[in-house]
Amino acid sequence: MSPVGSSGKKHSESGTARVLGSGASGILELFTFHPVDTVAKRLMSNTERIFGGSQTMSQSLGKLNQVVFREASAKPTLSKYFSLFPGLGYAAGYKVAQRIYKFGGQPVVRDYLERHHGQSFTRAFGDRNGKAIMHASAGSLIGIGEVMLLPLDVLKIKRQTNPEAFKGRGLFRIVADEGMALYRGAGWTVVRNAPGSFALFGGSAFVKEYMFGLKDYNTASFMQNFFASIGGAVASLTVSAPMDVIKTRIQARSFDNPESGMSIIRKMVQQEGFSSFFKGLTPKLLVVGPKLVFGFTLAQWFIPTFDAMLKGSSASSDVT
């Protein structure tokens, strides 16, 4: 996949392989990390002491069970597990669509840039730098277009941070009522995604090019993809942190009480200082980072794997 892909002279995966690989990575990422995210949010929202005081260990564990699993605390293990997927519809819709669009779409843009502008990148940056920057540029362009998925992201964030906004209203009612308000923060999303996606795909390409010396990124092993994803994820989260803080604050507000990005920036500078633009970066690297590394690694590995499987199946059909 792209940064997995290399030059136009090298092998390029089929569109089907890109959709299957990126979609599979999104589904696995969702089912792996959504329960962890739910547990974290339930523990953070709990205001009572769980351990310590005069409670015995048995009582503390019982309270922990109630806080984490809530109504399912007395149910069988499988029921407890499924209780950790509240709001899964919004999360699934956004996560799978985003991963297919981002990880499956970036190679398409990369191929276009290579066919029509490959020589320009080489002349401007040299052979090796040009290839890495072309991957990064394709990522940046695909990141800008990700604004199309903004309504799903807005609904997911509000579901997590402002559930009162959903009281008495279903999905279609909210869409009908809010309309274009669901695209609130679109400009800031573009400003955040452009450098963030540039750093994600560019960082991964840089690691493969300069640390592993790969000429064809499709030949990367699973572990090489893993370390390349770490490089891309850390670069992406760090670069996009200020815009992400602004975007999240815009989207977390009630539908009927919006606030502009510039107003939020002024308040942050005046009341919290410039360090506020990097609030949450450390926990984000520790919590969001592994999710991004997980999904990106799987996508980079799945896409060429599915492509080989599909081509092998096609070859078998031709023989028979």
Side-chain angles (χ1 to χ4, degrees):
M1 80 164 271
S2 59
V4 214
S6 54
S7 72
K9 300 174 184 177
K10 303 284 186 180
H11 167 72
S12 186
E13 314 88 349
S14 69
T16 302
R18 289 167 176 170
V19 171
L20 290 175
S22 55
S25 75
I27 292 169
L28 288 174
E29 180 184 342
L30 178 71
F31 280 93
T32 300
F33 287 97
H34 193 78
V36 176
D37 191 48
T38 300
V39 170
K41 283 184 169 53
R42 288 180 177 179
L43 289 173
M44 286 188 288
S45 62
N46 175 58
T47 58
E48 298 180 0
R49 180 191 291 262
I50 296 178
F51 293 96
S54 59
Q55 299 178 118
T56 65
M57 180 56 70
S58 176
Q59 289 174 326
S60 295
L61 291 175
K63 183 169 286 186
L64 177 65
N65 180 54
Q66 290 178 341
V67 169
V68 171
F69 298 108
R70 297 186 176 179
E71 295 82 2
S73 60
K75 294 183 178 179
T77 302
L78 193 60
S79 297
K80 287 183 176 180
Y81 174 72
F82 285 121
S83 74
L84 298 177
F85 288 89
L88 183 62
Y90 296 122
Y94 176 68
K95 182 60 63 181
V96 176
Q98 183 206 37
R99 290 317 189 211
I100 290 175
Y101 170 78
K102 192 165 194 169
F103 295 156
Q106 191 264 3
V108 177
V109 178
R110 186 277 324 273
D111 287 347
Y112 173 85
L113 290 178
E114 183 141 41
R115 282 194 305 271
H116 299 280
H117 307 285
Q119 291 303 315
S120 298
F121 278 94
T122 301
R123 284 195 300 269
F125 305 106
D127 187 29
R128 300 180 75 187
N129 286 338
K131 185 166 66 170
I133 291 175
M134 183 166 57
H135 287 299
S137 299
S140 184
L141 290 172
I142 208 74
I144 292 171
E146 199 176 335
V147 72
M148 295 183 299
L149 302 175
L150 191 60
L152 286 173
D153 191 26
V154 170
L155 292 171
K156 178 179 72 72
I157 290 176
K158 289 190 188 297
R159 190 73 173 177
Q160 292 173 327
T161 61
N162 189 18
E164 292 78 13
F166 289 79
K167 284 186 177 178
R169 297 196 295 174
L171 172 62
F172 294 109
R173 183 71 266 166
I174 291 175
V175 172
D177 289 346
E178 306 304 330
M180 292 305 293
L182 293 174
Y183 280 94
R184 188 176 295 144
W188 294 104
T189 299
V190 169
V191 174
R192 165 212 182 221
N193 285 359
S197 294
F198 184 96
L200 174 66
F201 290 96
S204 175
F206 181 88
V207 171
K208 290 181 178 181
E209 183 72 37
Y210 290 97
M211 289 186 63
F212 298 127
L214 297 174
K215 299 303 179 187
D216 180 359
Y217 299 168
N218 277 319
T219 62
S221 67
F222 185 86
M223 290 308 297
Q224 286 174 329
N225 281 323
F226 174 70
F227 285 114
S229 296
I230 291 175
V234 171
S236 176
L237 293 174
T238 303
V239 166
S240 64
M243 293 303 104
D244 205 26
V245 172
I246 298 168
K247 167 182 167 290
T248 299
R249 293 192 181 193
I250 290 173
Q251 294 177 339
R253 295 184 68 85
S254 298
F255 286 114
D256 56 354
N257 186 30
E259 186 174 11
S260 71
M262 293 308 299
S263 172
I264 289 173
I265 290 174
R266 281 195 298 271
K267 288 182 180 178
M268 289 174 66
V269 173
Q270 293 169 359
Q271 300 173 13
E272 305 171 62
F274 285 101
S275 63
S276 63
F277 290 99
F278 291 91
K279 271 189 174 180
L281 178 58
T282 299
K284 195 171 185 181
L285 289 171
L286 295 174
V287 178
V288 179
K291 289 197 290 186
L292 184 54
V293 170
F294 180 87
F296 197 24
T297 300
L298 287 180
Q300 293 183 97
W301 184 73
F302 272 143
I303 290 176
T305 300
F306 274 116
D307 189 61
M309 290 171 57
L310 290 169
K311 287 195 164 130
S313 173
S314 175
S316 298
S317 302
D318 291 341
V319 169
T320 55

